[in-house]
Amino acid sequence: MERLSRATASGAVTPTGTGIVHLGLGAFHRAHQAVFTEDAIVKGGGDWGIAAVAPRSRAVLDPLLEQDLLYSVLTVDGERVSPRVLGVHTQGLHAASQPEAVERLLADPAVRVVTLTVTEKAYRADSPIMRLLLSGLRARAATQAPIALVSCDNLPSNGRRLGELVTAELGTADFVSFPSTMVDRIVPASTDATYATARNVLGLEDRATVAAEPFSQWVIEDDFPGGRPAWDLAGAILTDDVAPWEGLKLRMLLGAHSALAYLGALAGAPTIDRALELPGMRAAMESLIRTDIAPTLSPPEGLSLQRYGESVLERFANPALRHRTLQVAMDGSQKLPQRLLGTIADRRAAGSVPVYATLVLAAWMRFVRGAADDGTPLPLDDPLADRLRATPSLLELDAVFPPGFADDAELRAQLDSWSRELDRHGVLGTLEALR
């Protein structure tokens, strides 16, 4: 079968120039920021092509280069598949082997925006991608050409956090801004089944294809000293305050996502939709959202927390996504402070013990031990894996838990109760008792 390329695909967008550097060439970027940016170019014009930088692995970069930087996004909804070929990328670089080329791009005045999807654990000054970004900014200081650094990772106040990191290393730079964002689209890792679907619907081989749900959202703080693509024309929400959207996504959507991942993995459910189908699971997730998460949120004006929660579970039920529970369960020590522990802390501050949120925490602690309810080994893919496995009382691990958790007798009692239930009856038995 022929390979996807400029010669075999007609009508692909060809940007007039490179205005954006993106750090982190993963599936999410290709199904989210790249789509919004291509739509913005089509509707609003401008030389906003994207130079995509793969930090370490060449697993995505090489197929993209072989395909003239074209790839497809498969929007999947049940049995329906809608393909789209994107051509928004103008360059593809490998940071580990081409650091000088990346630094030159970051210093180029024609580049006015840098977007990042590098995961929570990369936001340290000593991480390879941050060292590269800082080096590029030092070179850029010679021209003072304005630029916006746009974090698209699932972190609270992600722009402020990136800004604090950069200014701590380089000092204040008036030519740099750090807009916060909230991004949302479920994009599972591509599998052999994803590639087979692409072949069927395109009639071409595409080794860089991604599948994604129909829903997509991008909320962006509008602070771009060098200009930006017409993302608003592409459906993005430009605002002065991302915080209400951010809290909603981090705690309700991602909190429930992690809950399904840990409970589902323990019960043997391979994917998120299968986890949601377990007896009693949907009711437990509805209770988690309604009684524990919703009271901690101040939603954007006009948005119903109840309807948002219902939509979250409907999105998770999409069987076409095949989002693996073990994939969502990765890096729990980095994710749970934003997704779950803030909810627990706020409910405790209000005088309540969050019953369902502590069930999820107990499930994560059981997951850390490395075995499902039937004894099947579970991998612990986490930067703190060794410390997690070596710590007898995880609540005392200050790299994960905020001060006060370990000394909270009521919280400990609820957590111990759930841990005993999970040990005795497993996830299915524990959920059955809740029905």
Side-chain angles (χ1 to χ4, degrees), residues 81-142:
V81 180
S82 301
R84 171 181 175 176
V85 174
L86 273 84
V88 70
H89 293 96
T90 56
Q91 298 180 56
L93 297 171
H94 184 229
S97 63
Q98 300 173 285
E100 296 86 359
V102 177
E103 289 172 11
R104 285 195 296 271
L105 267 176
L106 293 171
D108 186 347
V111 171
R112 287 95 76 200
V113 175
V114 175
T115 54
L116 301 91
T117 51
V118 291
T119 76
E120 296 93 332
K121 57 190 173 186
Y123 284 77
R124 306 187 318 270
D126 62 348
S127 73
I129 201 71
M130 286 301 163
R131 288 201 303 267
L132 188 60
L133 177 61
L134 292 168
S135 180
L137 290 174
R138 289 187 183 97
R140 193 180 185 93

Short mmCIF file of all heavy atoms in Angstrom, two decimals, residues 81-142:
data_model
loop_
_atom_site.label_atom_id
_atom_site.label_comp_id
_atom_site.label_asym_id
_atom_site.label_seq_id
_atom_site.Cartn_x
_atom_site.Cartn_y
_atom_site.Cartn_z
N VAL A 81 -15.94 6.80 12.01
CA VAL A 81 -14.57 7.29 11.92
C VAL A 81 -14.52 8.37 10.84
O VAL A 81 -14.91 8.14 9.69
CB VAL A 81 -13.58 6.17 11.56
CG1 VAL A 81 -12.16 6.73 11.47
CG2 VAL A 81 -13.64 5.03 12.56
N SER A 82 -14.04 9.56 11.23
CA SER A 82 -13.91 10.66 10.27
C SER A 82 -12.43 11.03 10.17
O SER A 82 -11.85 11.54 11.14
CB SER A 82 -14.72 11.88 10.73
OG SER A 82 -16.09 11.55 10.87
N PRO A 83 -11.79 10.77 9.01
CA PRO A 83 -10.35 11.07 8.88
C PRO A 83 -10.10 12.48 8.37
O PRO A 83 -10.92 13.06 7.63
CB PRO A 83 -9.89 10.04 7.86
CG PRO A 83 -11.08 9.86 6.96
CD PRO A 83 -12.30 10.05 7.84
N ARG A 84 -8.97 13.02 8.77
CA ARG A 84 -8.53 14.32 8.27
C ARG A 84 -7.01 14.30 8.16
O ARG A 84 -6.33 13.92 9.12
CB ARG A 84 -8.97 15.44 9.21
CG ARG A 84 -8.37 16.80 8.88
CD ARG A 84 -8.84 17.86 9.84
NE ARG A 84 -8.17 19.13 9.59
CZ ARG A 84 -8.44 20.25 10.25
NH1 ARG A 84 -9.37 20.25 11.20
NH2 ARG A 84 -7.79 21.37 9.98
N VAL A 85 -6.48 14.72 7.03
CA VAL A 85 -5.03 14.80 6.84
C VAL A 85 -4.57 16.21 7.14
O VAL A 85 -5.11 17.18 6.60
CB VAL A 85 -4.63 14.39 5.41
CG1 VAL A 85 -3.14 14.63 5.18
CG2 VAL A 85 -4.98 12.93 5.16
N LEU A 86 -3.57 16.34 8.01
CA LEU A 86 -3.04 17.64 8.40
C LEU A 86 -1.67 17.88 7.79
O LEU A 86 -0.87 16.95 7.66
CB LEU A 86 -2.93 17.76 9.92
CG LEU A 86 -4.22 18.24 10.62
CD1 LEU A 86 -5.15 17.07 10.84
CD2 LEU A 86 -3.92 18.96 11.91
N GLY A 87 -1.41 19.14 7.43
CA GLY A 87 -0.12 19.52 6.86
C GLY A 87 0.47 20.75 7.51
O GLY A 87 1.29 21.45 6.90
N VAL A 88 0.09 21.05 8.75
CA VAL A 88 0.46 22.30 9.41
C VAL A 88 1.93 22.35 9.82
O VAL A 88 2.47 23.43 10.05
CB VAL A 88 -0.46 22.54 10.63
CG1 VAL A 88 -0.16 21.53 11.74
CG2 VAL A 88 -0.36 23.96 11.15
N HIS A 89 2.59 21.21 9.91
CA HIS A 89 3.99 21.21 10.35
C HIS A 89 4.93 21.52 9.20
O HIS A 89 4.79 20.99 8.10
CB HIS A 89 4.35 19.85 10.97
CG HIS A 89 3.62 19.58 12.26
ND1 HIS A 89 2.45 18.85 12.31
CD2 HIS A 89 3.88 19.98 13.53
CE1 HIS A 89 2.03 18.80 13.56
NE2 HIS A 89 2.88 19.47 14.32
N THR A 90 5.88 22.39 9.47
CA THR A 90 6.86 22.81 8.47
C THR A 90 8.22 22.17 8.67
O THR A 90 9.02 22.10 7.73
CB THR A 90 7.03 24.33 8.50
OG1 THR A 90 7.39 24.73 9.83
CG2 THR A 90 5.73 25.04 8.10
N GLN A 91 8.51 21.76 9.89
CA GLN A 91 9.79 21.13 10.20
C GLN A 91 9.57 20.08 11.28
O GLN A 91 8.64 20.18 12.08
CB GLN A 91 10.81 22.15 10.72
CG GLN A 91 11.18 23.25 9.75
CD GLN A 91 12.18 24.21 10.35
OE1 GLN A 91 13.26 23.82 10.79
NE2 GLN A 91 11.82 25.49 10.37
N GLY A 92 10.49 19.12 11.33
CA GLY A 92 10.50 18.13 12.40
C GLY A 92 11.93 17.94 12.87
O GLY A 92 12.82 17.62 12.07
N LEU A 93 12.17 18.17 14.16
CA LEU A 93 13.52 18.13 14.71
C LEU A 93 13.60 17.19 15.90
O LEU A 93 12.60 16.98 16.61
CB LEU A 93 13.98 19.52 15.13
CG LEU A 93 14.11 20.57 14.01
CD1 LEU A 93 14.35 21.94 14.59
CD2 LEU A 93 15.22 20.19 13.05
N HIS A 94 14.79 16.66 16.14
CA HIS A 94 15.04 15.75 17.25
C HIS A 94 15.95 16.47 18.24
O HIS A 94 17.13 16.71 17.96
CB HIS A 94 15.70 14.47 16.74
CG HIS A 94 15.92 13.44 17.78
ND1 HIS A 94 17.14 12.80 17.97
CD2 HIS A 94 15.09 12.93 18.73
CE1 HIS A 94 17.04 11.95 18.97
NE2 HIS A 94 15.81 12.02 19.44
N ALA A 95 15.39 16.83 19.40
CA ALA A 95 16.13 17.66 20.35
C ALA A 95 17.42 17.00 20.82
O ALA A 95 18.45 17.65 20.96
CB ALA A 95 15.24 17.98 21.55
N ALA A 96 17.37 15.70 21.06
CA ALA A 96 18.53 15.02 21.62
C ALA A 96 19.72 15.03 20.67
O ALA A 96 20.88 15.10 21.11
CB ALA A 96 18.17 13.58 21.98
N SER A 97 19.48 14.97 19.36
CA SER A 97 20.58 14.93 18.39
C SER A 97 20.76 16.23 17.61
O SER A 97 21.77 16.39 16.93
CB SER A 97 20.37 13.77 17.40
OG SER A 97 19.19 13.98 16.64
N GLN A 98 19.80 17.14 17.71
CA GLN A 98 19.88 18.40 16.97
C GLN A 98 19.65 19.60 17.89
O GLN A 98 18.89 20.51 17.55
CB GLN A 98 18.85 18.42 15.84
CG GLN A 98 19.01 17.33 14.79
CD GLN A 98 17.85 17.33 13.82
OE1 GLN A 98 16.74 16.90 14.13
NE2 GLN A 98 18.09 17.84 12.61
N PRO A 99 20.29 19.67 19.04
CA PRO A 99 20.00 20.77 19.97
C PRO A 99 20.33 22.14 19.39
O PRO A 99 19.60 23.12 19.65
CB PRO A 99 20.88 20.46 21.18
CG PRO A 99 21.97 19.58 20.66
CD PRO A 99 21.33 18.77 19.57
N GLU A 100 21.40 22.26 18.61
CA GLU A 100 21.76 23.57 18.05
C GLU A 100 20.69 24.07 17.09
O GLU A 100 20.36 25.26 17.08
CB GLU A 100 23.12 23.48 17.33
CG GLU A 100 24.29 23.16 18.24
CD GLU A 100 24.48 21.66 18.43
OE1 GLU A 100 23.67 20.87 17.86
OE2 GLU A 100 25.41 21.27 19.16
N ALA A 101 20.14 23.16 16.28
CA ALA A 101 19.08 23.57 15.35
C ALA A 101 17.84 24.04 16.09
O ALA A 101 17.19 25.02 15.69
CB ALA A 101 18.74 22.41 14.42
N VAL A 102 17.50 23.37 17.18
CA VAL A 102 16.34 23.78 17.98
C VAL A 102 16.61 25.14 18.62
O VAL A 102 15.74 26.03 18.62
CB VAL A 102 16.02 22.73 19.05
CG1 VAL A 102 14.86 23.20 19.92
CG2 VAL A 102 15.67 21.39 18.40
N GLU A 103 17.80 25.34 19.14
CA GLU A 103 18.14 26.62 19.76
C GLU A 103 18.07 27.76 18.74
O GLU A 103 17.60 28.87 19.06
CB GLU A 103 19.53 26.55 20.37
CG GLU A 103 19.59 25.68 21.62
CD GLU A 103 21.02 25.47 22.11
OE1 GLU A 103 21.93 26.17 21.60
OE2 GLU A 103 21.23 24.62 23.00
N ARG A 104 18.53 27.51 17.52
CA ARG A 104 18.43 28.54 16.49
C ARG A 104 16.98 28.91 16.19
O ARG A 104 16.65 30.09 16.00
CB ARG A 104 19.13 28.07 15.20
CG ARG A 104 20.65 28.09 15.27
CD ARG A 104 21.26 27.97 13.88
NE ARG A 104 20.95 26.68 13.26
CZ ARG A 104 21.68 25.58 13.40
NH1 ARG A 104 22.76 25.59 14.17
NH2 ARG A 104 21.34 24.46 12.77
N LEU A 105 16.11 27.91 16.16
CA LEU A 105 14.69 28.19 15.94
C LEU A 105 14.11 29.02 17.09
O LEU A 105 13.36 29.97 16.86
CB LEU A 105 13.91 26.88 15.83
CG LEU A 105 13.68 26.30 14.44
CD1 LEU A 105 12.97 24.96 14.56
CD2 LEU A 105 12.86 27.25 13.58
N LEU A 106 14.45 28.65 18.31
CA LEU A 106 13.92 29.38 19.46
C LEU A 106 14.39 30.83 19.48
O LEU A 106 13.71 31.70 20.03
CB LEU A 106 14.32 28.67 20.75
CG LEU A 106 13.70 27.29 20.98
CD1 LEU A 106 14.34 26.60 22.17
CD2 LEU A 106 12.19 27.40 21.19
N ALA A 107 15.57 31.08 18.91
CA ALA A 107 16.10 32.44 18.87
C ALA A 107 15.63 33.23 17.64
O ALA A 107 15.80 34.45 17.60
CB ALA A 107 17.64 32.39 18.88
N ASP A 108 15.02 32.56 16.68
CA ASP A 108 14.61 33.20 15.42
C ASP A 108 13.45 34.17 15.65
O ASP A 108 12.38 33.75 16.14
CB ASP A 108 14.20 32.10 14.43
CG ASP A 108 13.90 32.66 13.04
OD1 ASP A 108 13.76 33.88 12.88
OD2 ASP A 108 13.76 31.83 12.11
N PRO A 109 13.59 35.45 15.32
CA PRO A 109 12.49 36.40 15.53
C PRO A 109 11.21 36.05 14.77
O PRO A 109 10.12 36.52 15.15
CB PRO A 109 13.08 37.73 15.02
CG PRO A 109 14.56 37.57 15.15
CD PRO A 109 14.81 36.12 14.85
N ALA A 110 11.32 35.25 13.71
CA ALA A 110 10.10 34.85 12.98
C ALA A 110 9.23 33.93 13.82
O ALA A 110 8.01 33.85 13.60
CB ALA A 110 10.48 34.14 11.67
N VAL A 111 9.82 33.24 14.78
CA VAL A 111 9.05 32.39 15.71
C VAL A 111 8.55 33.28 16.84
O VAL A 111 9.33 33.88 17.57
CB VAL A 111 9.93 31.25 16.25
CG1 VAL A 111 9.21 30.51 17.37
CG2 VAL A 111 10.30 30.30 15.13
N ARG A 112 7.23 33.36 16.98
CA ARG A 112 6.64 34.24 18.01
C ARG A 112 5.90 33.50 19.09
O ARG A 112 5.44 34.08 20.07
CB ARG A 112 5.68 35.25 17.36
CG ARG A 112 6.38 36.33 16.58
CD ARG A 112 6.47 36.00 15.10
NE ARG A 112 5.19 36.20 14.43
CZ ARG A 112 4.87 35.64 13.26
NH1 ARG A 112 5.70 34.80 12.66
NH2 ARG A 112 3.70 35.88 12.71
N VAL A 113 5.76 32.18 18.92
CA VAL A 113 5.04 31.36 19.91
C VAL A 113 5.78 30.05 20.08
O VAL A 113 6.21 29.44 19.09
CB VAL A 113 3.58 31.08 19.46
CG1 VAL A 113 2.90 30.13 20.44
CG2 VAL A 113 2.79 32.38 19.35
N VAL A 114 5.93 29.61 21.33
CA VAL A 114 6.40 28.26 21.63
C VAL A 114 5.32 27.58 22.45
O VAL A 114 4.88 28.12 23.47
CB VAL A 114 7.72 28.27 22.43
CG1 VAL A 114 8.11 26.84 22.83
CG2 VAL A 114 8.83 28.91 21.63
N THR A 115 4.84 26.44 22.00
CA THR A 115 3.88 25.65 22.77
C THR A 115 4.57 24.40 23.29
O THR A 115 5.53 23.92 22.70
CB THR A 115 2.64 25.27 21.93
OG1 THR A 115 3.08 24.62 20.71
CG2 THR A 115 1.82 26.51 21.58
N LEU A 116 4.07 23.90 24.43
CA LEU A 116 4.72 22.76 25.07
C LEU A 116 3.70 21.74 25.51
O LEU A 116 2.69 22.08 26.14
CB LEU A 116 5.51 23.19 26.32
CG LEU A 116 6.62 24.21 26.19
CD1 LEU A 116 6.06 25.62 26.42
CD2 LEU A 116 7.70 23.95 27.25
N THR A 117 3.94 20.46 25.18
CA THR A 117 3.26 19.32 25.80
C THR A 117 4.35 18.34 26.19
O THR A 117 4.68 17.43 25.43
CB THR A 117 2.24 18.67 24.85
OG1 THR A 117 2.87 18.39 23.59
CG2 THR A 117 1.04 19.56 24.62
N VAL A 118 4.92 18.53 27.36
CA VAL A 118 6.10 17.76 27.77
C VAL A 118 5.86 16.99 29.06
O VAL A 118 6.80 16.42 29.62
CB VAL A 118 7.32 18.70 27.92
CG1 VAL A 118 7.76 19.21 26.56
CG2 VAL A 118 7.03 19.87 28.86
N THR A 119 4.63 16.94 29.55
CA THR A 119 4.18 16.25 30.77
C THR A 119 4.68 16.95 32.03
O THR A 119 5.67 17.69 32.01
CB THR A 119 4.55 14.76 30.83
OG1 THR A 119 5.95 14.61 31.14
CG2 THR A 119 4.21 14.06 29.53
N GLU A 120 4.00 16.66 33.12
CA GLU A 120 4.26 17.34 34.39
C GLU A 120 5.71 17.22 34.84
O GLU A 120 6.30 18.16 35.37
CB GLU A 120 3.34 16.78 35.49
CG GLU A 120 1.86 17.01 35.27
CD GLU A 120 1.15 15.88 34.55
OE1 GLU A 120 1.81 15.16 33.77
OE2 GLU A 120 -0.06 15.72 34.76
N LYS A 121 6.32 16.05 34.64
CA LYS A 121 7.64 15.79 35.20
C LYS A 121 8.75 16.56 34.50
O LYS A 121 9.88 16.57 35.00
CB LYS A 121 7.93 14.30 35.18
CG LYS A 121 7.86 13.64 33.82
CD LYS A 121 7.93 12.13 33.95
CE LYS A 121 7.68 11.43 32.62
NZ LYS A 121 7.62 9.97 32.78
N ALA A 122 8.47 17.22 33.37
CA ALA A 122 9.51 17.97 32.66
C ALA A 122 9.67 19.39 33.16
O ALA A 122 10.59 20.10 32.73
CB ALA A 122 9.21 17.98 31.16
N TYR A 123 8.79 19.84 34.06
CA TYR A 123 8.85 21.22 34.52
C TYR A 123 9.84 21.39 35.67
O TYR A 123 9.50 21.75 36.79
CB TYR A 123 7.43 21.70 34.90
CG TYR A 123 6.62 22.00 33.67
CD1 TYR A 123 6.06 20.96 32.92
CD2 TYR A 123 6.44 23.29 33.20
CE1 TYR A 123 5.33 21.21 31.76
CE2 TYR A 123 5.71 23.56 32.05
CZ TYR A 123 5.16 22.51 31.34
OH TYR A 123 4.46 22.76 30.19
N ARG A 124 11.09 21.11 35.34
CA ARG A 124 12.22 21.30 36.24
C ARG A 124 13.35 21.91 35.42
O ARG A 124 13.52 21.57 34.25
CB ARG A 124 12.70 19.97 36.84
CG ARG A 124 11.67 19.14 37.54
CD ARG A 124 12.34 17.95 38.22
NE ARG A 124 13.37 17.35 37.40
CZ ARG A 124 13.15 16.36 36.52
NH1 ARG A 124 11.93 15.87 36.37
NH2 ARG A 124 14.16 15.85 35.81
N ALA A 125 14.11 22.80 36.04
CA ALA A 125 15.17 23.48 35.30
C ALA A 125 16.22 22.53 34.77
O ALA A 125 16.91 22.82 33.80
CB ALA A 125 15.82 24.54 36.19
N ASP A 126 16.35 21.34 35.42
CA ASP A 126 17.38 20.40 35.00
C ASP A 126 16.87 19.36 33.99
O ASP A 126 17.62 18.48 33.59
CB ASP A 126 17.99 19.69 36.20
CG ASP A 126 16.97 18.86 36.98
OD1 ASP A 126 15.76 19.01 36.73
OD2 ASP A 126 17.38 18.07 37.84
N SER A 127 15.61 19.45 33.58
CA SER A 127 15.12 18.50 32.58
C SER A 127 15.70 18.88 31.22
O SER A 127 15.92 20.06 30.92
CB SER A 127 13.59 18.49 32.53
OG SER A 127 13.10 19.67 31.91
N PRO A 128 15.96 17.89 30.35
CA PRO A 128 16.58 18.20 29.04
C PRO A 128 15.80 19.21 28.22
O PRO A 128 16.40 20.10 27.61
CB PRO A 128 16.63 16.84 28.36
CG PRO A 128 16.66 15.84 29.48
CD PRO A 128 15.81 16.44 30.56
N ILE A 129 14.49 19.11 28.21
CA ILE A 129 13.72 20.03 27.36
C ILE A 129 13.75 21.44 27.92
O ILE A 129 13.78 22.43 27.16
CB ILE A 129 12.27 19.51 27.17
CG1 ILE A 129 11.63 20.12 25.92
CG2 ILE A 129 11.41 19.80 28.38
CD1 ILE A 129 12.22 19.61 24.65
N MET A 130 13.75 21.60 29.25
CA MET A 130 13.82 22.94 29.83
C MET A 130 15.20 23.54 29.64
O MET A 130 15.33 24.75 29.40
CB MET A 130 13.45 22.90 31.32
CG MET A 130 11.97 22.70 31.56
SD MET A 130 10.96 24.01 30.81
CE MET A 130 9.34 23.21 30.81
N ARG A 131 16.25 22.72 29.73
CA ARG A 131 17.58 23.25 29.47
C ARG A 131 17.69 23.77 28.04
O ARG A 131 18.28 24.82 27.78
CB ARG A 131 18.63 22.16 29.71
CG ARG A 131 18.85 21.83 31.18
CD ARG A 131 20.20 21.16 31.39
NE ARG A 131 20.34 19.95 30.58
CZ ARG A 131 20.04 18.72 31.01
NH1 ARG A 131 19.57 18.55 32.24
NH2 ARG A 131 20.22 17.67 30.23
N LEU A 132 17.07 23.05 27.12
CA LEU A 132 17.07 23.47 25.72
C LEU A 132 16.29 24.77 25.54
O LEU A 132 16.73 25.70 24.84
CB LEU A 132 16.48 22.37 24.85
CG LEU A 132 16.58 22.55 23.33
CD1 LEU A 132 18.03 22.64 22.89
CD2 LEU A 132 15.88 21.39 22.63
N LEU A 133 15.13 24.87 26.15
CA LEU A 133 14.32 26.08 26.06
C LEU A 133 15.07 27.27 26.64
O LEU A 133 15.10 28.36 26.04
CB LEU A 133 12.98 25.87 26.79
CG LEU A 133 12.04 27.08 26.85
CD1 LEU A 133 11.65 27.54 25.46
CD2 LEU A 133 10.80 26.74 27.68
N LEU A 134 15.68 27.10 27.79
CA LEU A 134 16.41 28.19 28.43
C LEU A 134 17.59 28.63 27.56
O LEU A 134 17.87 29.83 27.44
CB LEU A 134 16.89 27.75 29.81
CG LEU A 134 15.79 27.54 30.86
CD1 LEU A 134 16.35 26.82 32.08
CD2 LEU A 134 15.14 28.85 31.26
N SER A 135 18.28 27.69 26.95
CA SER A 135 19.40 28.03 26.08
C SER A 135 18.93 28.85 24.88
O SER A 135 19.57 29.83 24.49
CB SER A 135 20.10 26.74 25.62
OG SER A 135 21.18 27.03 24.77
N GLY A 136 17.79 28.44 24.30
CA GLY A 136 17.24 29.20 23.18
C GLY A 136 16.83 30.60 23.57
O GLY A 136 17.04 31.56 22.80
N LEU A 137 16.27 30.76 24.76
CA LEU A 137 15.87 32.09 25.22
C LEU A 137 17.09 32.98 25.49
O LEU A 137 17.04 34.19 25.25
CB LEU A 137 15.01 31.97 26.47
CG LEU A 137 13.62 31.37 26.27
CD1 LEU A 137 12.93 31.18 27.60
CD2 LEU A 137 12.77 32.26 25.36
N ARG A 138 18.15 32.39 25.98
CA ARG A 138 19.37 33.19 26.19
C ARG A 138 19.87 33.74 24.85
O ARG A 138 20.29 34.91 24.76
CB ARG A 138 20.46 32.32 26.84
CG ARG A 138 20.18 31.97 28.30
CD ARG A 138 21.37 31.27 28.94
NE ARG A 138 21.07 30.87 30.31
CZ ARG A 138 20.67 29.65 30.66
NH1 ARG A 138 20.55 28.70 29.73
NH2 ARG A 138 20.40 29.36 31.91
N ALA A 139 19.83 32.90 23.82
CA ALA A 139 20.24 33.37 22.49
C ALA A 139 19.27 34.43 21.96
O ALA A 139 19.69 35.39 21.30
CB ALA A 139 20.32 32.19 21.52
N ARG A 140 18.01 34.27 22.26
CA ARG A 140 17.00 35.21 21.77
C ARG A 140 17.13 36.58 22.43
O ARG A 140 16.74 37.60 21.87
CB ARG A 140 15.61 34.64 22.02
CG ARG A 140 14.50 35.38 21.28
CD ARG A 140 13.14 34.77 21.56
NE ARG A 140 12.11 35.40 20.75
CZ ARG A 140 11.69 34.98 19.57
NH1 ARG A 140 12.22 33.89 19.04
NH2 ARG A 140 10.75 35.63 18.90
N ALA A 141 17.68 36.63 23.63
CA ALA A 141 17.81 37.88 24.36
C ALA A 141 18.61 38.92 23.58
O ALA A 141 18.45 40.13 23.80
CB ALA A 141 18.46 37.64 25.72
N ALA A 142 19.43 38.49 22.64
CA ALA A 142 20.22 39.42 21.85
C ALA A 142 19.35 40.33 21.00
O ALA A 142 19.69 41.49 20.74
CB ALA A 142 21.21 38.66 20.96
#
